Amino acid sequence: MLSITGLSGLSGIIYTFDSPNDISNLLVWLRSDIGVYQDSAGTTPTIYYDDPVGFWQDQSGNSNHAVQSPDASKPIYKPNFLNNYPAILFDGVDDLLRKSNLNIGDEFTAFIVFKKVTQTDFGYIINFCTSNNNALQQSGTDGTYQVLGTSSSNLTNAPSDFWLTSLSFTSHNTRAYING
């Protein structure tokens, strides 16, 4: 199961490829500018500022959509948030989107663009729910983030603006890169 959870400011897409087909072995591609719906069935598109997000359509072609049913736990849509692209904003308390039964294994790489809006004591940015508990989480109010996996590492002095994080998980180590 993939669980995209609620630290404020997780965004969908900043850098684009021509097509998801340009990336081999791609399992999930969630873009904030395509396939974002208010309802969990994916029938009512998000259009307006602060529309709830109940369905985020996977653009990889693998139907690994992220879904949320209870309105109170839905993140919100922010059109024209960064470089004329929309963003999906999580409240940092209980907002999340899930994809059950996503078989990503324990060795994979993920790219995430996000901005932390407020500091909280603890919370996941993204939790992959694998056997190694692979995740990126905030681990304090000082801007420290922790990458969890077969080994753990801390990211300190996180940028205050949007940042691209590359997370690489293998059976031997866990690596994280910020903006590079």
mmCIF file with all atom_site columns, all heavy atoms in Angstrom, residues 81-97:
data_model
loop_
_atom_site.group_PDB
_atom_site.id
_atom_site.type_symbol
_atom_site.label_atom_id
_atom_site.label_alt_id
_atom_site.label_comp_id
_atom_site.label_asym_id
_atom_site.label_entity_id
_atom_site.label_seq_id
_atom_site.pdbx_PDB_ins_code
_atom_site.Cartn_x
_atom_site.Cartn_y
_atom_site.Cartn_z
_atom_site.occupancy
_atom_site.B_iso_or_equiv
_atom_site.pdbx_formal_charge
_atom_site.auth_seq_id
_atom_site.auth_comp_id
_atom_site.auth_asym_id
_atom_site.auth_atom_id
_atom_site.pdbx_PDB_model_num
ATOM 1   N N   . PHE A 1 81 ? -0.541 27.277 -8.244  1.00 0.00 ? 81 PHE A N   1
ATOM 2   C CA  . PHE A 1 81 ? 0.179  27.423 -6.982  1.00 0.00 ? 81 PHE A CA  1
ATOM 3   C C   . PHE A 1 81 ? 1.664  27.696 -7.184  1.00 0.00 ? 81 PHE A C   1
ATOM 4   O O   . PHE A 1 81 ? 2.255  28.493 -6.491  1.00 0.00 ? 81 PHE A O   1
ATOM 5   C CB  . PHE A 1 81 ? -0.014 26.163 -6.139  1.00 0.00 ? 81 PHE A CB  1
ATOM 6   C CG  . PHE A 1 81 ? 0.344  26.326 -4.702  1.00 0.00 ? 81 PHE A CG  1
ATOM 7   C CD1 . PHE A 1 81 ? -0.507 26.974 -3.835  1.00 0.00 ? 81 PHE A CD1 1
ATOM 8   C CD2 . PHE A 1 81 ? 1.534  25.815 -4.220  1.00 0.00 ? 81 PHE A CD2 1
ATOM 9   C CE1 . PHE A 1 81 ? -0.193 27.119 -2.504  1.00 0.00 ? 81 PHE A CE1 1
ATOM 10  C CE2 . PHE A 1 81 ? 1.863  25.955 -2.889  1.00 0.00 ? 81 PHE A CE2 1
ATOM 11  C CZ  . PHE A 1 81 ? 1.003  26.613 -2.022  1.00 0.00 ? 81 PHE A CZ  1
ATOM 12  N N   . LEU A 1 82 ? 2.291  27.019 -8.146  1.00 0.00 ? 82 LEU A N   1
ATOM 13  C CA  . LEU A 1 82 ? 3.719  27.176 -8.393  1.00 0.00 ? 82 LEU A CA  1
ATOM 14  C C   . LEU A 1 82 ? 3.981  27.096 -9.890  1.00 0.00 ? 82 LEU A C   1
ATOM 15  O O   . LEU A 1 82 ? 3.665  26.086 -10.520 1.00 0.00 ? 82 LEU A O   1
ATOM 16  C CB  . LEU A 1 82 ? 4.518  26.088 -7.669  1.00 0.00 ? 82 LEU A CB  1
ATOM 17  C CG  . LEU A 1 82 ? 6.021  26.104 -7.877  1.00 0.00 ? 82 LEU A CG  1
ATOM 18  C CD1 . LEU A 1 82 ? 6.636  27.365 -7.274  1.00 0.00 ? 82 LEU A CD1 1
ATOM 19  C CD2 . LEU A 1 82 ? 6.662  24.872 -7.260  1.00 0.00 ? 82 LEU A CD2 1
ATOM 20  N N   . ASN A 1 83 ? 4.535  28.160 -10.445 1.00 0.00 ? 83 ASN A N   1
ATOM 21  C CA  . ASN A 1 83 ? 4.831  28.209 -11.884 1.00 0.00 ? 83 ASN A CA  1
ATOM 22  C C   . ASN A 1 83 ? 3.613  27.850 -12.729 1.00 0.00 ? 83 ASN A C   1
ATOM 23  O O   . ASN A 1 83 ? 3.722  27.127 -13.711 1.00 0.00 ? 83 ASN A O   1
ATOM 24  C CB  . ASN A 1 83 ? 6.003  27.288 -12.234 1.00 0.00 ? 83 ASN A CB  1
ATOM 25  C CG  . ASN A 1 83 ? 7.284  27.706 -11.571 1.00 0.00 ? 83 ASN A CG  1
ATOM 26  O OD1 . ASN A 1 83 ? 7.473  28.879 -11.254 1.00 0.00 ? 83 ASN A OD1 1
ATOM 27  N ND2 . ASN A 1 83 ? 8.165  26.756 -11.333 1.00 0.00 ? 83 ASN A ND2 1
ATOM 28  N N   . ASN A 1 84 ? 2.459  28.321 -12.335 1.00 0.00 ? 84 ASN A N   1
ATOM 29  C CA  . ASN A 1 84 ? 1.181  28.074 -13.005 1.00 0.00 ? 84 ASN A CA  1
ATOM 30  C C   . ASN A 1 84 ? 0.715  26.630 -12.950 1.00 0.00 ? 84 ASN A C   1
ATOM 31  O O   . ASN A 1 84 ? -0.185 26.239 -13.679 1.00 0.00 ? 84 ASN A O   1
ATOM 32  C CB  . ASN A 1 84 ? 1.207  28.566 -14.458 1.00 0.00 ? 84 ASN A CB  1
ATOM 33  C CG  . ASN A 1 84 ? 1.355  30.060 -14.536 1.00 0.00 ? 84 ASN A CG  1
ATOM 34  O OD1 . ASN A 1 84 ? 0.756  30.785 -13.750 1.00 0.00 ? 84 ASN A OD1 1
ATOM 35  N ND2 . ASN A 1 84 ? 2.163  30.530 -15.462 1.00 0.00 ? 84 ASN A ND2 1
ATOM 36  N N   . TYR A 1 85 ? 1.337  25.802 -12.105 1.00 0.00 ? 85 TYR A N   1
ATOM 37  C CA  . TYR A 1 85 ? 0.870  24.442 -11.874 1.00 0.00 ? 85 TYR A CA  1
ATOM 38  C C   . TYR A 1 85 ? 0.087  24.393 -10.570 1.00 0.00 ? 85 TYR A C   1
ATOM 39  O O   . TYR A 1 85 ? 0.401  25.096 -9.613  1.00 0.00 ? 85 TYR A O   1
ATOM 40  C CB  . TYR A 1 85 ? 2.051  23.459 -11.770 1.00 0.00 ? 85 TYR A CB  1
ATOM 41  C CG  . TYR A 1 85 ? 2.639  23.080 -13.087 1.00 0.00 ? 85 TYR A CG  1
ATOM 42  C CD1 . TYR A 1 85 ? 3.795  23.702 -13.545 1.00 0.00 ? 85 TYR A CD1 1
ATOM 43  C CD2 . TYR A 1 85 ? 2.059  22.099 -13.881 1.00 0.00 ? 85 TYR A CD2 1
ATOM 44  C CE1 . TYR A 1 85 ? 4.339  23.351 -14.767 1.00 0.00 ? 85 TYR A CE1 1
ATOM 45  C CE2 . TYR A 1 85 ? 2.600  21.747 -15.095 1.00 0.00 ? 85 TYR A CE2 1
ATOM 46  C CZ  . TYR A 1 85 ? 3.747  22.377 -15.543 1.00 0.00 ? 85 TYR A CZ  1
ATOM 47  O OH  . TYR A 1 85 ? 4.284  22.035 -16.738 1.00 0.00 ? 85 TYR A OH  1
ATOM 48  N N   . PRO A 1 86 ? -0.936 23.545 -10.510 1.00 0.00 ? 86 PRO A N   1
ATOM 49  C CA  . PRO A 1 86 ? -1.663 23.383 -9.254  1.00 0.00 ? 86 PRO A CA  1
ATOM 50  C C   . PRO A 1 86 ? -0.877 22.538 -8.262  1.00 0.00 ? 86 PRO A C   1
ATOM 51  O O   . PRO A 1 86 ? 0.097  21.884 -8.622  1.00 0.00 ? 86 PRO A O   1
ATOM 52  C CB  . PRO A 1 86 ? -2.953 22.670 -9.678  1.00 0.00 ? 86 PRO A CB  1
ATOM 53  C CG  . PRO A 1 86 ? -2.594 21.967 -10.940 1.00 0.00 ? 86 PRO A CG  1
ATOM 54  C CD  . PRO A 1 86 ? -1.514 22.767 -11.601 1.00 0.00 ? 86 PRO A CD  1
ATOM 55  N N   . ALA A 1 87 ? -1.311 22.555 -7.015  1.00 0.00 ? 87 ALA A N   1
ATOM 56  C CA  . ALA A 1 87 ? -0.715 21.738 -5.954  1.00 0.00 ? 87 ALA A CA  1
ATOM 57  C C   . ALA A 1 87 ? -1.825 21.071 -5.175  1.00 0.00 ? 87 ALA A C   1
ATOM 58  O O   . ALA A 1 87 ? -2.980 21.501 -5.193  1.00 0.00 ? 87 ALA A O   1
ATOM 59  C CB  . ALA A 1 87 ? 0.132  22.600 -5.028  1.00 0.00 ? 87 ALA A CB  1
ATOM 60  N N   . ILE A 1 88 ? -1.481 20.006 -4.491  1.00 0.00 ? 88 ILE A N   1
ATOM 61  C CA  . ILE A 1 88 ? -2.384 19.326 -3.579  1.00 0.00 ? 88 ILE A CA  1
ATOM 62  C C   . ILE A 1 88 ? -1.868 19.635 -2.182  1.00 0.00 ? 88 ILE A C   1
ATOM 63  O O   . ILE A 1 88 ? -0.724 19.323 -1.869  1.00 0.00 ? 88 ILE A O   1
ATOM 64  C CB  . ILE A 1 88 ? -2.401 17.801 -3.822  1.00 0.00 ? 88 ILE A CB  1
ATOM 65  C CG1 . ILE A 1 88 ? -2.615 17.481 -5.312  1.00 0.00 ? 88 ILE A CG1 1
ATOM 66  C CG2 . ILE A 1 88 ? -3.440 17.127 -2.938  1.00 0.00 ? 88 ILE A CG2 1
ATOM 67  C CD1 . ILE A 1 88 ? -3.869 18.024 -5.924  1.00 0.00 ? 88 ILE A CD1 1
ATOM 68  N N   . LEU A 1 89 ? -2.688 20.246 -1.347  1.00 0.00 ? 89 LEU A N   1
ATOM 69  C CA  . LEU A 1 89 ? -2.261 20.697 -0.026  1.00 0.00 ? 89 LEU A CA  1
ATOM 70  C C   . LEU A 1 89 ? -2.874 19.810 1.058   1.00 0.00 ? 89 LEU A C   1
ATOM 71  O O   . LEU A 1 89 ? -4.087 19.652 1.133   1.00 0.00 ? 89 LEU A O   1
ATOM 72  C CB  . LEU A 1 89 ? -2.676 22.147 0.199   1.00 0.00 ? 89 LEU A CB  1
ATOM 73  C CG  . LEU A 1 89 ? -2.186 22.798 1.470   1.00 0.00 ? 89 LEU A CG  1
ATOM 74  C CD1 . LEU A 1 89 ? -0.676 23.025 1.399   1.00 0.00 ? 89 LEU A CD1 1
ATOM 75  C CD2 . LEU A 1 89 ? -2.877 24.132 1.693   1.00 0.00 ? 89 LEU A CD2 1
ATOM 76  N N   . PHE A 1 90 ? -1.996 19.228 1.876   1.00 0.00 ? 90 PHE A N   1
ATOM 77  C CA  . PHE A 1 90 ? -2.408 18.382 2.996   1.00 0.00 ? 90 PHE A CA  1
ATOM 78  C C   . PHE A 1 90 ? -2.332 19.226 4.261   1.00 0.00 ? 90 PHE A C   1
ATOM 79  O O   . PHE A 1 90 ? -1.450 20.067 4.402   1.00 0.00 ? 90 PHE A O   1
ATOM 80  C CB  . PHE A 1 90 ? -1.475 17.177 3.097   1.00 0.00 ? 90 PHE A CB  1
ATOM 81  C CG  . PHE A 1 90 ? -1.547 16.263 1.914   1.00 0.00 ? 90 PHE A CG  1
ATOM 82  C CD1 . PHE A 1 90 ? -0.876 16.568 0.735   1.00 0.00 ? 90 PHE A CD1 1
ATOM 83  C CD2 . PHE A 1 90 ? -2.271 15.101 1.960   1.00 0.00 ? 90 PHE A CD2 1
ATOM 84  C CE1 . PHE A 1 90 ? -0.940 15.734 -0.372  1.00 0.00 ? 90 PHE A CE1 1
ATOM 85  C CE2 . PHE A 1 90 ? -2.336 14.244 0.872   1.00 0.00 ? 90 PHE A CE2 1
ATOM 86  C CZ  . PHE A 1 90 ? -1.671 14.566 -0.296  1.00 0.00 ? 90 PHE A CZ  1
ATOM 87  N N   . ASP A 1 91 ? -3.240 18.985 5.230   1.00 0.00 ? 91 ASP A N   1
ATOM 88  C CA  . ASP A 1 91 ? -3.313 19.837 6.418   1.00 0.00 ? 91 ASP A CA  1
ATOM 89  C C   . ASP A 1 91 ? -2.299 19.511 7.503   1.00 0.00 ? 91 ASP A C   1
ATOM 90  O O   . ASP A 1 91 ? -2.170 20.244 8.475   1.00 0.00 ? 91 ASP A O   1
ATOM 91  C CB  . ASP A 1 91 ? -4.723 19.850 7.004   1.00 0.00 ? 91 ASP A CB  1
ATOM 92  C CG  . ASP A 1 91 ? -5.151 18.518 7.598   1.00 0.00 ? 91 ASP A CG  1
ATOM 93  O OD1 . ASP A 1 91 ? -4.323 17.573 7.672   1.00 0.00 ? 91 ASP A OD1 1
ATOM 94  O OD2 . ASP A 1 91 ? -6.329 18.406 7.993   1.00 0.00 ? 91 ASP A OD2 1
ATOM 95  N N   . GLY A 1 92 ? -1.571 18.407 7.387   1.00 0.00 ? 92 GLY A N   1
ATOM 96  C CA  . GLY A 1 92 ? -0.589 18.059 8.396   1.00 0.00 ? 92 GLY A CA  1
ATOM 97  C C   . GLY A 1 92 ? -1.176 17.370 9.614   1.00 0.00 ? 92 GLY A C   1
ATOM 98  O O   . GLY A 1 92 ? -0.455 17.048 10.555  1.00 0.00 ? 92 GLY A O   1
ATOM 99  N N   . VAL A 1 93 ? -2.474 17.127 9.607   1.00 0.00 ? 93 VAL A N   1
ATOM 100 C CA  . VAL A 1 93 ? -3.134 16.492 10.746  1.00 0.00 ? 93 VAL A CA  1
ATOM 101 C C   . VAL A 1 93 ? -3.678 15.123 10.347  1.00 0.00 ? 93 VAL A C   1
ATOM 102 O O   . VAL A 1 93 ? -3.222 14.098 10.835  1.00 0.00 ? 93 VAL A O   1
ATOM 103 C CB  . VAL A 1 93 ? -4.263 17.380 11.310  1.00 0.00 ? 93 VAL A CB  1
ATOM 104 C CG1 . VAL A 1 93 ? -4.975 16.692 12.465  1.00 0.00 ? 93 VAL A CG1 1
ATOM 105 C CG2 . VAL A 1 93 ? -3.715 18.732 11.730  1.00 0.00 ? 93 VAL A CG2 1
ATOM 106 N N   . ASP A 1 94 ? -4.657 15.114 9.439   1.00 0.00 ? 94 ASP A N   1
ATOM 107 C CA  . ASP A 1 94 ? -5.299 13.841 9.096   1.00 0.00 ? 94 ASP A CA  1
ATOM 108 C C   . ASP A 1 94 ? -5.564 13.662 7.604   1.00 0.00 ? 94 ASP A C   1
ATOM 109 O O   . ASP A 1 94 ? -6.180 12.699 7.206   1.00 0.00 ? 94 ASP A O   1
ATOM 110 C CB  . ASP A 1 94 ? -6.603 13.680 9.877   1.00 0.00 ? 94 ASP A CB  1
ATOM 111 C CG  . ASP A 1 94 ? -7.612 14.782 9.576   1.00 0.00 ? 94 ASP A CG  1
ATOM 112 O OD1 . ASP A 1 94 ? -7.301 15.693 8.782   1.00 0.00 ? 94 ASP A OD1 1
ATOM 113 O OD2 . ASP A 1 94 ? -8.711 14.734 10.150  1.00 0.00 ? 94 ASP A OD2 1
ATOM 114 N N   . ASP A 1 95 ? -5.093 14.583 6.768   1.00 0.00 ? 95 ASP A N   1
ATOM 115 C CA  . ASP A 1 95 ? -5.300 14.430 5.332   1.00 0.00 ? 95 ASP A CA  1
ATOM 116 C C   . ASP A 1 95 ? -4.366 13.357 4.783   1.00 0.00 ? 95 ASP A C   1
ATOM 117 O O   . ASP A 1 95 ? -3.179 13.329 5.121   1.00 0.00 ? 95 ASP A O   1
ATOM 118 C CB  . ASP A 1 95 ? -5.003 15.737 4.599   1.00 0.00 ? 95 ASP A CB  1
ATOM 119 C CG  . ASP A 1 95 ? -6.049 16.802 4.849   1.00 0.00 ? 95 ASP A CG  1
ATOM 120 O OD1 . ASP A 1 95 ? -7.015 16.531 5.569   1.00 0.00 ? 95 ASP A OD1 1
ATOM 121 O OD2 . ASP A 1 95 ? -5.883 17.907 4.301   1.00 0.00 ? 95 ASP A OD2 1
ATOM 122 N N   . LEU A 1 96 ? -4.893 12.500 3.928   1.00 0.00 ? 96 LEU A N   1
ATOM 123 C CA  . LEU A 1 96 ? -4.062 11.508 3.265   1.00 0.00 ? 96 LEU A CA  1
ATOM 124 C C   . LEU A 1 96 ? -4.781 10.942 2.066   1.00 0.00 ? 96 LEU A C   1
ATOM 125 O O   . LEU A 1 96 ? -5.995 11.041 1.941   1.00 0.00 ? 96 LEU A O   1
ATOM 126 C CB  . LEU A 1 96 ? -3.654 10.384 4.224   1.00 0.00 ? 96 LEU A CB  1
ATOM 127 C CG  . LEU A 1 96 ? -4.764 9.535  4.849   1.00 0.00 ? 96 LEU A CG  1
ATOM 128 C CD1 . LEU A 1 96 ? -4.997 8.268  4.051   1.00 0.00 ? 96 LEU A CD1 1
ATOM 129 C CD2 . LEU A 1 96 ? -4.385 9.187  6.272   1.00 0.00 ? 96 LEU A CD2 1
ATOM 130 N N   . LEU A 1 97 ? -4.000 10.374 1.158   1.00 0.00 ? 97 LEU A N   1
ATOM 131 C CA  . LEU A 1 97 ? -4.511 9.642  0.009   1.00 0.00 ? 97 LEU A CA  1
ATOM 132 C C   . LEU A 1 97 ? -3.841 8.283  0.037   1.00 0.00 ? 97 LEU A C   1
ATOM 133 O O   . LEU A 1 97 ? -2.662 8.177  0.384   1.00 0.00 ? 97 LEU A O   1
ATOM 134 C CB  . LEU A 1 97 ? -4.180 10.371 -1.300  1.00 0.00 ? 97 LEU A CB  1
ATOM 135 C CG  . LEU A 1 97 ? -4.877 11.710 -1.488  1.00 0.00 ? 97 LEU A CG  1
ATOM 136 C CD1 . LEU A 1 97 ? -4.250 12.465 -2.654  1.00 0.00 ? 97 LEU A CD1 1
ATOM 137 C CD2 . LEU A 1 97 ? -6.361 11.505 -1.747  1.00 0.00 ? 97 LEU A CD2 1
#
